[in-house]
Amino acid sequence: MHATTLMPVAATCTIADLPDDAVVLKRMLEELLVAFRARCQESDQLQARLDQVLRRLYGPRSERGDPNQLLLFAEPPVEVAVTPPASAAADTPKKRRHEHGRQRPPAHLQRVRRVHALPEVERLCPCCGVARQVIGEEVSEQYDCVPQTLRVIQHVRLKYACSGCEQRRRQQRPQLPADTPDAVNSTLPTAATPVVAATAAVASAATVATPTAVAVAVATLVTAPLPCEGVPRCLAAPGLLAQVIVSKFGDHLPLYRLEQIFSRQGVPLSRSTLCDWLKRAADLLKPLCDLMAQEVLRSLVVQSDDTPVPVQDGSRDHTRQGRLWVYSGDVTHAYLVYQYSPNREQDWPLAFLANYRGFFQADAYTGYDKLFASGQVVELGCWAHARRKFFEAQKTDPERATYVLGVIRQLYVIEKKAREESARLGLPLAESWALRQRWRQEQSVPLLTTLCQWLEKERPNVLPKSPIGEAFTYALNQWQALQRYTTQGFLEIDNNAAERALRAVAIGRKNYLSFGSDVGGQTAATLYTLVQTCKRLGIEPWRYLRDVLERMPTCPAESLAELLPDRWAAAQRAAATADTG
C-alpha cells in the first residue's frame, strides 16, 4: 500500500481491522512513518514560507543577528601590517566626539540681518543722561524657511531695423494722388520711432510700396533669436524641470502630489503635463546615460540586482510586472545605471553586458549562466544572499543556522577591520586593496575552508527541501563564486551597493504604485540613473540637472563626457577654488 493512500484508510481503521500478521503490521507501520515524515516536511516548508511572508509584511526587514552568538567563536587574530612609531601615534588625531547642543548653521546659507536697537529713551545713561554709543553686537542665528517659489521668465527678443535703408526706401516711394490719405507716411517708422513698432510699419508699408522697397525693408528687419532649448516649446524652464525630476525620483513624490503642491501656489499644472515633461527631459538626457553605461562597462567589477515594478496595461484589468535592473560600477567608475524591461528574461542583462569583460557580482539568477559560459565574464558570489538563506532557516534549524551565521559574521568582521586599518594608515587605493587581499588570504580563507568542510559533512543530515537544506544547497552550489572575492583586493564580499541602489525604487514604488506604461518605465530608468548617481557621489541633484539641462542642447558630442556627474562636480570645485583664490 502506498503511503499517500494509506493515511485516509488509517484514519478510519480500528484495532479490530488490523491484521494479526506481525510482518504485515511492521510494513504498515513503516509506511505510516514514511508518510508522517513527508507530512512533517511539507508542514515545515509551509510554515517557513508563512513566516517569511509575515516577516516581510509586518516584521522588521533587518537581518541583524544576536550579538552574543559571536561568543561561540574565537576572535580571529588580526595582524597589523604596519606599526607606526609612538610619535606618529601621538600625532594621530583622536576620533571626534559628537558635539551636543545647538550647532551653528552652515556658512553657505544666506544671512538676513535684522538689527534690534534700543528706543531713544532707553539709550540714555542713568548716571549722566547722555545717549549711550554702540560698542558692539551680539549675534544669534535661527533657521528660516521660504517655500519654493514659482516665477515666470520672460524671453524678450528685441527687433532691429536700419534707419538709413528706411530713409532711402521713403525717397524711392512712388507719389500718391493729392486726395489720397498719406496712410503710409503715418505708419512707417523713423529713426525716432520705437523699435517695437517696426513690424507693424513694414506690414502697412508693404501694401503700397514697390517690390524693391519691400525687399529692402524686409531685409533690414531682424529679431534676436531665442536661446537654444533642449525641450523645445516647453512651458517649464530647466530649473522647474530639474525640480520635478528630483521630486519624483529623488524624494519619491508621485505626480499627483506635485500637482497639488503647484495648485496651492495658484499654478494649474496637470499630472499629464508633468508626465510629458519627464518624458521629454529623459529623451534629452538619454545620450548622457548611454555614456554612463559605457563607463560602467569599463569597470573591473560590475554589481547588479533587479526588483519588480507594477506596470499598467490597458489590455487587462490589473497591472503586470515589469523589472528595473541596476548596474553599479567600481570605485573608479562610480555610476549607477538603471535598465527597464517588461519582464525578467535573460535577454535584457545579456544585451547590456554583451561587450563586458571582467568580474560580475549578483545573486544566483540562472539567467546569468549564459554570460559566464564564455569565460570572458567571471562569476562573483554574494555572501549577503547566502547569509539570507541561513537567516530565514533559523526557526526550523536554529543550531546549524546560527553556526553558519556566526562564521559569516566573522568574515564581515575581517572586512571591517581591513577597511579601518587602511583608513588609519591613510593608504592609497592600490595599497589598500593589497592589504585587504593579504588579510583575506591569512584569515578569511581558513574560515571558508572550515565552513565548506562542515557544510559537506552536515549536508546528508538535512532535508533537501527544508529551509536549511535549501540554504546548504545554495551555498555549496555557489561555493566557487562565493570564495572568489578572496583572490583580489578590489573585489567586494557582497553586492550590497547594488541592493542599496534599488532601495530608492522600493520606496518610490510604495508612493507612485506603478508605471503608466513601458515608456514610463524607460523614462524612470533614465532619470533614476542621473538622480541616484548624484546621490551616490554626494552631488546635489537639482543643481546638477538644472545646469545639464541648460547645456545639453549646445553641448557637442565630443564634449558630452564633461557633463558626467563626477567630472561636472570636479569642474565646479575647480571654478569655485579659482574664484576664491
PDB file of all heavy atoms in Angstrom, residues 116-148:
ATOM      1  N   HIS A 116      18.323  94.833  15.966  1.00  0.00           N
ATOM      2  CA  HIS A 116      17.383  95.226  17.021  1.00  0.00           C
ATOM      3  C   HIS A 116      18.068  96.293  17.885  1.00  0.00           C
ATOM      4  O   HIS A 116      19.042  96.002  18.587  1.00  0.00           O
ATOM      5  CB  HIS A 116      16.996  94.021  17.878  1.00  0.00           C
ATOM      6  CG  HIS A 116      16.456  92.871  17.057  1.00  0.00           C
ATOM      7  ND1 HIS A 116      15.175  92.837  16.582  1.00  0.00           N
ATOM      8  CD2 HIS A 116      17.055  91.729  16.617  1.00  0.00           C
ATOM      9  CE1 HIS A 116      14.984  91.714  15.907  1.00  0.00           C
ATOM     10  NE2 HIS A 116      16.123  91.030  15.908  1.00  0.00           N
ATOM     11  N   ALA A 117      17.556  97.506  17.800  1.00  0.00           N
ATOM     12  CA  ALA A 117      18.138  98.643  18.539  1.00  0.00           C
ATOM     13  C   ALA A 117      17.215  99.053  19.677  1.00  0.00           C
ATOM     14  O   ALA A 117      16.003  98.793  19.654  1.00  0.00           O
ATOM     15  CB  ALA A 117      18.376  99.815  17.595  1.00  0.00           C
ATOM     16  N   LEU A 118      17.821  99.718  20.689  1.00  0.00           N
ATOM     17  CA  LEU A 118      17.041 100.229  21.815  1.00  0.00           C
ATOM     18  C   LEU A 118      16.313 101.500  21.398  1.00  0.00           C
ATOM     19  O   LEU A 118      16.810 102.279  20.565  1.00  0.00           O
ATOM     20  CB  LEU A 118      17.957 100.532  22.999  1.00  0.00           C
ATOM     21  CG  LEU A 118      18.553  99.326  23.737  1.00  0.00           C
ATOM     22  CD1 LEU A 118      19.544  99.832  24.789  1.00  0.00           C
ATOM     23  CD2 LEU A 118      17.472  98.500  24.386  1.00  0.00           C
ATOM     24  N   PRO A 119      15.152 101.762  21.975  1.00  0.00           N
ATOM     25  CA  PRO A 119      14.494 103.055  21.736  1.00  0.00           C
ATOM     26  C   PRO A 119      15.354 104.204  22.262  1.00  0.00           C
ATOM     27  O   PRO A 119      16.251 104.005  23.091  1.00  0.00           O
ATOM     28  CB  PRO A 119      13.171 102.923  22.510  1.00  0.00           C
ATOM     29  CG  PRO A 119      12.970 101.447  22.695  1.00  0.00           C
ATOM     30  CD  PRO A 119      14.351 100.851  22.780  1.00  0.00           C
ATOM     31  N   GLU A 120      15.090 105.388  21.765  1.00  0.00           N
ATOM     32  CA  GLU A 120      15.887 106.556  22.162  1.00  0.00           C
ATOM     33  C   GLU A 120      15.880 106.762  23.671  1.00  0.00           C
ATOM     34  O   GLU A 120      16.899 107.126  24.261  1.00  0.00           O
ATOM     35  CB  GLU A 120      15.340 107.808  21.460  1.00  0.00           C
ATOM     36  CG  GLU A 120      15.526 107.823  19.956  1.00  0.00           C
ATOM     37  CD  GLU A 120      16.979 108.007  19.557  1.00  0.00           C
ATOM     38  OE1 GLU A 120      17.782 108.433  20.428  1.00  0.00           O
ATOM     39  OE2 GLU A 120      17.318 107.701  18.404  1.00  0.00           O
ATOM     40  N   VAL A 121      14.748 106.509  24.317  1.00  0.00           N
ATOM     41  CA  VAL A 121      14.656 106.767  25.755  1.00  0.00           C
ATOM     42  C   VAL A 121      15.545 105.805  26.538  1.00  0.00           C
ATOM     43  O   VAL A 121      16.208 106.194  27.511  1.00  0.00           O
ATOM     44  CB  VAL A 121      13.184 106.651  26.207  1.00  0.00           C
ATOM     45  CG1 VAL A 121      13.079 106.843  27.725  1.00  0.00           C
ATOM     46  CG2 VAL A 121      12.320 107.661  25.479  1.00  0.00           C
ATOM     47  N   GLU A 122      15.597 104.538  26.087  1.00  0.00           N
ATOM     48  CA  GLU A 122      16.372 103.544  26.823  1.00  0.00           C
ATOM     49  C   GLU A 122      17.865 103.662  26.565  1.00  0.00           C
ATOM     50  O   GLU A 122      18.659 103.008  27.230  1.00  0.00           O
ATOM     51  CB  GLU A 122      15.889 102.130  26.454  1.00  0.00           C
ATOM     52  CG  GLU A 122      14.452 101.868  26.850  1.00  0.00           C
ATOM     53  CD  GLU A 122      14.027 100.455  26.527  1.00  0.00           C
ATOM     54  OE1 GLU A 122      14.915  99.620  26.218  1.00  0.00           O
ATOM     55  OE2 GLU A 122      12.813 100.158  26.571  1.00  0.00           O
ATOM     56  N   ARG A 123      18.262 104.456  25.573  1.00  0.00           N
ATOM     57  CA  ARG A 123      19.698 104.638  25.315  1.00  0.00           C
ATOM     58  C   ARG A 123      20.356 105.610  26.295  1.00  0.00           C
ATOM     59  O   ARG A 123      21.576 105.669  26.398  1.00  0.00           O
ATOM     60  CB  ARG A 123      19.914 105.151  23.895  1.00  0.00           C
ATOM     61  CG  ARG A 123      19.488 104.190  22.804  1.00  0.00           C
ATOM     62  CD  ARG A 123      19.803 104.768  21.435  1.00  0.00           C
ATOM     63  NE  ARG A 123      19.185 103.998  20.361  1.00  0.00           N
ATOM     64  CZ  ARG A 123      19.273 104.311  19.076  1.00  0.00           C
ATOM     65  NH1 ARG A 123      19.954 105.392  18.710  1.00  0.00           N
ATOM     66  NH2 ARG A 123      18.664 103.565  18.182  1.00  0.00           N
ATOM     67  N   LEU A 124      19.566 106.418  26.981  1.00  0.00           N
ATOM     68  CA  LEU A 124      20.132 107.427  27.870  1.00  0.00           C
ATOM     69  C   LEU A 124      20.793 106.766  29.066  1.00  0.00           C
ATOM     70  O   LEU A 124      20.266 105.824  29.667  1.00  0.00           O
ATOM     71  CB  LEU A 124      19.023 108.382  28.342  1.00  0.00           C
ATOM     72  CG  LEU A 124      18.296 109.157  27.226  1.00  0.00           C
ATOM     73  CD1 LEU A 124      17.193 110.034  27.819  1.00  0.00           C
ATOM     74  CD2 LEU A 124      19.288 109.998  26.430  1.00  0.00           C
ATOM     75  N   CYS A 125      21.959 107.276  29.410  1.00  0.00           N
ATOM     76  CA  CYS A 125      22.714 106.748  30.546  1.00  0.00           C
ATOM     77  C   CYS A 125      21.999 107.137  31.852  1.00  0.00           C
ATOM     78  O   CYS A 125      21.657 108.320  32.045  1.00  0.00           O
ATOM     79  CB  CYS A 125      24.135 107.307  30.551  1.00  0.00           C
ATOM     80  SG  CYS A 125      25.128 106.741  31.944  1.00  0.00           S
ATOM     81  N   PRO A 126      21.793 106.202  32.760  1.00  0.00           N
ATOM     82  CA  PRO A 126      21.101 106.552  34.021  1.00  0.00           C
ATOM     83  C   PRO A 126      21.941 107.442  34.938  1.00  0.00           C
ATOM     84  O   PRO A 126      21.397 108.038  35.863  1.00  0.00           O
ATOM     85  CB  PRO A 126      20.839 105.184  34.665  1.00  0.00           C
ATOM     86  CG  PRO A 126      21.890 104.281  34.080  1.00  0.00           C
ATOM     87  CD  PRO A 126      22.126 104.784  32.691  1.00  0.00           C
ATOM     88  N   CYS A 127      23.258 107.513  34.675  1.00  0.00           N
ATOM     89  CA  CYS A 127      24.121 108.330  35.544  1.00  0.00           C
ATOM     90  C   CYS A 127      24.146 109.787  35.118  1.00  0.00           C
ATOM     91  O   CYS A 127      23.913 110.691  35.926  1.00  0.00           O
ATOM     92  CB  CYS A 127      25.532 107.773  35.560  1.00  0.00           C
ATOM     93  SG  CYS A 127      25.631 106.099  36.245  1.00  0.00           S
ATOM     94  N   CYS A 128      24.470 110.014  33.812  1.00  0.00           N
ATOM     95  CA  CYS A 128      24.645 111.387  33.347  1.00  0.00           C
ATOM     96  C   CYS A 128      23.571 111.830  32.373  1.00  0.00           C
ATOM     97  O   CYS A 128      23.504 113.020  32.018  1.00  0.00           O
ATOM     98  CB  CYS A 128      26.015 111.565  32.707  1.00  0.00           C
ATOM     99  SG  CYS A 128      26.254 110.500  31.259  1.00  0.00           S
ATOM    100  N   GLY A 129      22.747 110.902  31.881  1.00  0.00           N
ATOM    101  CA  GLY A 129      21.685 111.279  30.960  1.00  0.00           C
ATOM    102  C   GLY A 129      22.108 111.424  29.523  1.00  0.00           C
ATOM    103  O   GLY A 129      21.291 111.807  28.667  1.00  0.00           O
ATOM    104  N   VAL A 130      23.386 111.151  29.188  1.00  0.00           N
ATOM    105  CA  VAL A 130      23.873 111.249  27.807  1.00  0.00           C
ATOM    106  C   VAL A 130      23.557 109.935  27.074  1.00  0.00           C
ATOM    107  O   VAL A 130      23.605 108.845  27.658  1.00  0.00           O
ATOM    108  CB  VAL A 130      25.390 111.535  27.790  1.00  0.00           C
ATOM    109  CG1 VAL A 130      25.919 111.601  26.369  1.00  0.00           C
ATOM    110  CG2 VAL A 130      25.680 112.833  28.541  1.00  0.00           C
ATOM    111  N   ALA A 131      23.227 110.057  25.783  1.00  0.00           N
ATOM    112  CA  ALA A 131      22.899 108.862  24.976  1.00  0.00           C
ATOM    113  C   ALA A 131      24.118 107.952  24.854  1.00  0.00           C
ATOM    114  O   ALA A 131      25.226 108.402  24.548  1.00  0.00           O
ATOM    115  CB  ALA A 131      22.411 109.283  23.593  1.00  0.00           C
ATOM    116  N   ARG A 132      23.920 106.667  25.152  1.00  0.00           N
ATOM    117  CA  ARG A 132      24.999 105.700  25.060  1.00  0.00           C
ATOM    118  C   ARG A 132      25.274 105.325  23.601  1.00  0.00           C
ATOM    119  O   ARG A 132      24.367 105.293  22.766  1.00  0.00           O
ATOM    120  CB  ARG A 132      24.648 104.448  25.870  1.00  0.00           C
ATOM    121  CG  ARG A 132      24.728 104.667  27.363  1.00  0.00           C
ATOM    122  CD  ARG A 132      24.244 103.483  28.161  1.00  0.00           C
ATOM    123  NE  ARG A 132      22.782 103.437  28.209  1.00  0.00           N
ATOM    124  CZ  ARG A 132      22.087 102.708  29.085  1.00  0.00           C
ATOM    125  NH1 ARG A 132      22.735 101.951  29.975  1.00  0.00           N
ATOM    126  NH2 ARG A 132      20.773 102.705  29.072  1.00  0.00           N
ATOM    127  N   GLN A 133      26.570 105.027  23.301  1.00  0.00           N
ATOM    128  CA  GLN A 133      27.004 104.710  21.946  1.00  0.00           C
ATOM    129  C   GLN A 133      27.100 103.187  21.751  1.00  0.00           C
ATOM    130  O   GLN A 133      27.304 102.441  22.705  1.00  0.00           O
ATOM    131  CB  GLN A 133      28.373 105.346  21.653  1.00  0.00           C
ATOM    132  CG  GLN A 133      28.410 106.837  21.860  1.00  0.00           C
ATOM    133  CD  GLN A 133      27.449 107.563  20.922  1.00  0.00           C
ATOM    134  OE1 GLN A 133      27.345 107.207  19.745  1.00  0.00           O
ATOM    135  NE2 GLN A 133      26.785 108.588  21.444  1.00  0.00           N
ATOM    136  N   VAL A 134      26.978 102.768  20.490  1.00  0.00           N
ATOM    137  CA  VAL A 134      27.097 101.356  20.147  1.00  0.00           C
ATOM    138  C   VAL A 134      28.565 100.945  20.248  1.00  0.00           C
ATOM    139  O   VAL A 134      29.439 101.565  19.625  1.00  0.00           O
ATOM    140  CB  VAL A 134      26.576 101.079  18.726  1.00  0.00           C
ATOM    141  CG1 VAL A 134      26.782  99.609  18.355  1.00  0.00           C
ATOM    142  CG2 VAL A 134      25.100 101.445  18.629  1.00  0.00           C
ATOM    143  N   ILE A 135      28.865  99.901  21.023  1.00  0.00           N
ATOM    144  CA  ILE A 135      30.246  99.432  21.175  1.00  0.00           C
ATOM    145  C   ILE A 135      30.431  98.001  20.664  1.00  0.00           C
ATOM    146  O   ILE A 135      31.531  97.473  20.684  1.00  0.00           O
ATOM    147  CB  ILE A 135      30.680  99.500  22.659  1.00  0.00           C
ATOM    148  CG1 ILE A 135      29.787  98.596  23.514  1.00  0.00           C
ATOM    149  CG2 ILE A 135      30.666 100.937  23.155  1.00  0.00           C
ATOM    150  CD1 ILE A 135      30.255  98.454  24.945  1.00  0.00           C
ATOM    151  N   GLY A 136      29.385  97.372  20.222  1.00  0.00           N
ATOM    152  CA  GLY A 136      29.495  96.002  19.719  1.00  0.00           C
ATOM    153  C   GLY A 136      28.119  95.427  19.447  1.00  0.00           C
ATOM    154  O   GLY A 136      27.103  96.140  19.471  1.00  0.00           O
ATOM    155  N   GLU A 137      28.100  94.136  19.210  1.00  0.00           N
ATOM    156  CA  GLU A 137      26.826  93.475  18.926  1.00  0.00           C
ATOM    157  C   GLU A 137      26.909  91.996  19.311  1.00  0.00           C
ATOM    158  O   GLU A 137      27.992  91.412  19.360  1.00  0.00           O
ATOM    159  CB  GLU A 137      26.461  93.595  17.445  1.00  0.00           C
ATOM    160  CG  GLU A 137      27.454  92.935  16.511  1.00  0.00           C
ATOM    161  CD  GLU A 137      27.092  93.126  15.043  1.00  0.00           C
ATOM    162  OE1 GLU A 137      26.277  94.018  14.752  1.00  0.00           O
ATOM    163  OE2 GLU A 137      27.626  92.382  14.211  1.00  0.00           O
ATOM    164  N   GLU A 138      25.794  91.452  19.639  1.00  0.00           N
ATOM    165  CA  GLU A 138      25.661  90.030  19.891  1.00  0.00           C
ATOM    166  C   GLU A 138      24.767  89.440  18.806  1.00  0.00           C
ATOM    167  O   GLU A 138      23.679  89.950  18.549  1.00  0.00           O
ATOM    168  CB  GLU A 138      25.044  89.774  21.279  1.00  0.00           C
ATOM    169  CG  GLU A 138      25.959  90.151  22.429  1.00  0.00           C
ATOM    170  CD  GLU A 138      25.360  89.768  23.768  1.00  0.00           C
ATOM    171  OE1 GLU A 138      24.259  89.158  23.753  1.00  0.00           O
ATOM    172  OE2 GLU A 138      25.969  90.079  24.797  1.00  0.00           O
ATOM    173  N   VAL A 139      25.245  88.368  18.205  1.00  0.00           N
ATOM    174  CA  VAL A 139      24.537  87.767  17.070  1.00  0.00           C
ATOM    175  C   VAL A 139      24.069  86.369  17.466  1.00  0.00           C
ATOM    176  O   VAL A 139      24.864  85.550  17.943  1.00  0.00           O
ATOM    177  CB  VAL A 139      25.442  87.686  15.815  1.00  0.00           C
ATOM    178  CG1 VAL A 139      24.688  87.055  14.654  1.00  0.00           C
ATOM    179  CG2 VAL A 139      25.939  89.086  15.445  1.00  0.00           C
ATOM    180  N   SER A 140      22.809  86.125  17.312  1.00  0.00           N
ATOM    181  CA  SER A 140      22.243  84.773  17.454  1.00  0.00           C
ATOM    182  C   SER A 140      21.534  84.427  16.152  1.00  0.00           C
ATOM    183  O   SER A 140      20.990  85.307  15.471  1.00  0.00           O
ATOM    184  CB  SER A 140      21.260  84.714  18.629  1.00  0.00           C
ATOM    185  OG  SER A 140      20.195  85.635  18.434  1.00  0.00           O
ATOM    186  N   GLU A 141      21.560  83.157  15.797  1.00  0.00           N
ATOM    187  CA  GLU A 141      21.057  82.747  14.483  1.00  0.00           C
ATOM    188  C   GLU A 141      19.935  81.725  14.623  1.00  0.00           C
ATOM    189  O   GLU A 141      19.920  80.908  15.538  1.00  0.00           O
ATOM    190  CB  GLU A 141      22.189  82.142  13.635  1.00  0.00           C
ATOM    191  CG  GLU A 141      23.282  83.149  13.297  1.00  0.00           C
ATOM    192  CD  GLU A 141      24.351  82.568  12.396  1.00  0.00           C
ATOM    193  OE1 GLU A 141      24.595  81.341  12.493  1.00  0.00           O
ATOM    194  OE2 GLU A 141      24.947  83.312  11.614  1.00  0.00           O
ATOM    195  N   GLN A 142      18.994  81.808  13.696  1.00  0.00           N
ATOM    196  CA  GLN A 142      17.880  80.875  13.592  1.00  0.00           C
ATOM    197  C   GLN A 142      17.732  80.439  12.145  1.00  0.00           C
ATOM    198  O   GLN A 142      18.020  81.209  11.219  1.00  0.00           O
ATOM    199  CB  GLN A 142      16.559  81.529  14.035  1.00  0.00           C
ATOM    200  CG  GLN A 142      16.417  81.767  15.513  1.00  0.00           C
ATOM    201  CD  GLN A 142      15.078  82.408  15.814  1.00  0.00           C
ATOM    202  OE1 GLN A 142      14.645  83.323  15.131  1.00  0.00           O
ATOM    203  NE2 GLN A 142      14.409  81.919  16.861  1.00  0.00           N
ATOM    204  N   TYR A 143      17.281  79.205  11.959  1.00  0.00           N
ATOM    205  CA  TYR A 143      16.914  78.754  10.624  1.00  0.00           C
ATOM    206  C   TYR A 143      15.554  79.334  10.256  1.00  0.00           C
ATOM    207  O   TYR A 143      14.650  79.439  11.089  1.00  0.00           O
ATOM    208  CB  TYR A 143      16.831  77.226  10.554  1.00  0.00           C
ATOM    209  CG  TYR A 143      18.167  76.521  10.569  1.00  0.00           C
ATOM    210  CD1 TYR A 143      18.594  75.837  11.697  1.00  0.00           C
ATOM    211  CD2 TYR A 143      18.988  76.530   9.450  1.00  0.00           C
ATOM    212  CE1 TYR A 143      19.814  75.171  11.716  1.00  0.00           C
ATOM    213  CE2 TYR A 143      20.205  75.869   9.463  1.00  0.00           C
ATOM    214  CZ  TYR A 143      20.616  75.197  10.594  1.00  0.00           C
ATOM    215  OH  TYR A 143      21.826  74.548  10.603  1.00  0.00           O
ATOM    216  N   ASP A 144      15.399  79.702   9.014  1.00  0.00           N
ATOM    217  CA  ASP A 144      14.114  80.156   8.488  1.00  0.00           C
ATOM    218  C   ASP A 144      13.876  79.453   7.162  1.00  0.00           C
ATOM    219  O   ASP A 144      14.823  78.999   6.507  1.00  0.00           O
ATOM    220  CB  ASP A 144      14.101  81.676   8.297  1.00  0.00           C
ATOM    221  CG  ASP A 144      12.698  82.201   8.023  1.00  0.00           C
ATOM    222  OD1 ASP A 144      11.731  81.460   8.285  1.00  0.00           O
ATOM    223  OD2 ASP A 144      12.564  83.336   7.523  1.00  0.00           O
ATOM    224  N   CYS A 145      12.653  79.334   6.784  1.00  0.00           N
ATOM    225  CA  CYS A 145      12.293  78.627   5.554  1.00  0.00           C
ATOM    226  C   CYS A 145      11.408  79.509   4.697  1.00  0.00           C
ATOM    227  O   CYS A 145      10.420  80.083   5.176  1.00  0.00           O
ATOM    228  CB  CYS A 145      11.579  77.312   5.880  1.00  0.00           C
ATOM    229  SG  CYS A 145      11.018  76.405   4.427  1.00  0.00           S
ATOM    230  N   VAL A 146      11.751  79.620   3.431  1.00  0.00           N
ATOM    231  CA  VAL A 146      10.921  80.290   2.434  1.00  0.00           C
ATOM    232  C   VAL A 146      10.434  79.220   1.468  1.00  0.00           C
ATOM    233  O   VAL A 146      11.252  78.573   0.814  1.00  0.00           O
ATOM    234  CB  VAL A 146      11.716  81.379   1.675  1.00  0.00           C
ATOM    235  CG1 VAL A 146      10.838  82.026   0.623  1.00  0.00           C
ATOM    236  CG2 VAL A 146      12.246  82.414   2.647  1.00  0.00           C
ATOM    237  N   PRO A 147       9.141  78.953   1.406  1.00  0.00           N
ATOM    238  CA  PRO A 147       8.660  77.897   0.500  1.00  0.00           C
ATOM    239  C   PRO A 147       9.109  78.148  -0.928  1.00  0.00           C
ATOM    240  O   PRO A 147       9.351  79.294  -1.341  1.00  0.00           O
ATOM    241  CB  PRO A 147       7.135  77.980   0.636  1.00  0.00           C
ATOM    242  CG  PRO A 147       6.909  78.665   1.949  1.00  0.00           C
ATOM    243  CD  PRO A 147       8.066  79.606   2.122  1.00  0.00           C
ATOM    244  N   GLN A 148       9.237  77.033  -1.682  1.00  0.00           N
ATOM    245  CA  GLN A 148       9.674  77.170  -3.066  1.00  0.00           C
ATOM    246  C   GLN A 148       8.743  78.108  -3.819  1.00  0.00           C
ATOM    247  O   GLN A 148       7.527  78.079  -3.658  1.00  0.00           O
ATOM    248  CB  GLN A 148       9.721  75.808  -3.741  1.00  0.00           C
ATOM    249  CG  GLN A 148       8.370  75.121  -3.882  1.00  0.00           C
ATOM    250  CD  GLN A 148       8.493  73.828  -4.641  1.00  0.00           C
ATOM    251  OE1 GLN A 148       9.587  73.340  -4.871  1.00  0.00           O
ATOM    252  NE2 GLN A 148       7.372  73.265  -5.029  1.00  0.00           N
TER     253      GLN A 148
END
